[in-house]
Amino acid sequence: MSWLSDTLTSTIGRKLVMSLTGLFLIIFLVVHLIGNFQLLAGDNGLAFNAYAKFMTTNPLIKFTSYGLYAFILIHILMSIALSVKNKKARPVGYEKVKGSANSSFSSRNMGILGFIIFVFLVIHMRSFWYEMHWGSIQPDTAGNKDLYSVVNAAFSQWWYVALYVVCMVGLAFHLSHGFSSAFQTLGINHKKYTPFIKKLGIVYAILIPAAFAIIPLIMFFNS
């Protein structure tokens, strides 16, 4: 198993793992967004509650979710490991560095942006995922756990909606660099494809977080 330890301790190996887990999470965000749009169905949450039940009871989905949790944890651990290693390699910064001259805001602040997303995940999981599994949620008219009421109550609070939107802005900046960076780390870097990948990454980084953010805003102003 020396190849595994070598991979997880080398800079290239850690970046490779981060890229693969990052791309998986990018795909997951689209699937999760489709499910979240059920919140706007206008049926008092019946569609969303049915979706939530399916996601928490289907054996294949449950197995995939365990992989998701593992990938999130691995992605975070690899990020921390790389940051620590880079810091040790260069404990004292250069005297004159103009970051904006050769790097984007997102690339210079991936650690901070990642921390914002991590904090959001903790709050988000506690508010919804934990409640869905172990909270005392009443059933809806179809007999499913009424998670919609929990979400609706959270999104009726201005501070929670504001926090959600701010975190989606952080996610957008994180994705704007992470999307194209993941492909580059995997060796998909060619003058014919790279410009398209970068443009696609920017579009994705804007549309997906914006779509996530608009859901609580609509629910808040309609409450």
Side-chain angles (χ1 to χ4, degrees):
M1 297 293 286
S2 60
W3 66 269
L4 180 60
S5 61
D6 290 343
T7 299
L8 296 179
T9 54
S10 68
T11 299
I12 295 176
R14 287 170 175 171
K15 286 184 176 181
L16 179 63
V17 172
M18 277 196 68
S19 298
L20 292 173
T21 54
L23 288 175
F24 178 85
L25 297 175
I26 283 172
I27 296 172
F28 164 75
L29 284 176
V30 177
V31 177
H32 189 42
L33 176 61
I34 293 172
N36 278 13
F37 271 126
Q38 305 302 315
L39 289 164
L40 306 179
D43 58 358
N44 292 319
L46 292 177
F48 179 75
N49 292 335
Y51 155 78
K53 180 181 179 180
F54 173 77
M55 295 296 289
T56 54
T57 58
N58 182 276
L60 179 60
I61 298 298
K62 288 179 68 176
F63 177 78
T64 304
S65 68
Y66 297 143
L68 171 66
Y69 306 146
F71 280 0
I72 291 175
L73 181 60
I74 292 171
H75 194 78
I76 293 172
L77 291 176
M78 290 298 102
S79 174
I80 294 173
L82 282 170
S83 297
V84 171
K85 190 169 184 177
N86 291 338
K87 186 67 175 178
K88 287 182 178 179
R90 194 176 64 201
V92 179
Y94 298 119
E95 280 189 34
K96 295 181 180 180
V97 176
K98 187 177 181 181
S100 58
N102 51 20
S103 63
S104 65
F105 169 84
S106 300
S107 64
R108 297 194 308 274
N109 296 279
M110 287 296 278
I112 297 174
L113 294 169
F115 179 74
I116 292 173
I117 296 169
F118 174 73
V119 172
F120 168 76
L121 282 175
V122 172
I123 297 173
H124 190 68
M125 295 286 279
R126 173 60 186 86
S127 300
F128 306 130
W129 181 84
Y130 178 87
E131 288 298 320
M132 181 64 185
H133 287 82
W134 296 288
S136 54
I137 303 177
Q138 298 300 313
D140 62 13
T141 56
N144 298 318
K145 284 188 177 182
D146 193 7
L147 184 62
Y148 173 82
S149 294
V150 178
V151 177
N152 193 44
F155 289 162
S156 66
Q157 304 175 74
W158 70 266
W159 67 267
Y160 196 99
V161 174
L163 174 66
Y164 196 102
V165 172
V166 168
C167 289
M168 288 304 102
V169 173
L171 176 62
F173 278 109
H174 191 78
L175 288 171
S176 67
H177 174 71
F179 189 100
S180 59
S181 179
F183 285 96
Q184 185 173 0
T185 300
L186 294 173
I188 306 175
N189 189 14
H190 191 277
K191 61 181 181 180
K192 289 179 62 177
Y193 313 122
T194 299
F196 171 76
I197 291 174
K198 287 185 177 180
K199 289 178 182 178
L200 179 62
I202 293 173
V203 171
Y204 179 96
I206 294 173
L207 292 183
I208 299 301
F212 271 109
I214 202 170
I215 294 173
L217 287 171
I218 291 174
M219 295 181 70
F220 176 77
F221 287 110
N222 286 341
S223 61

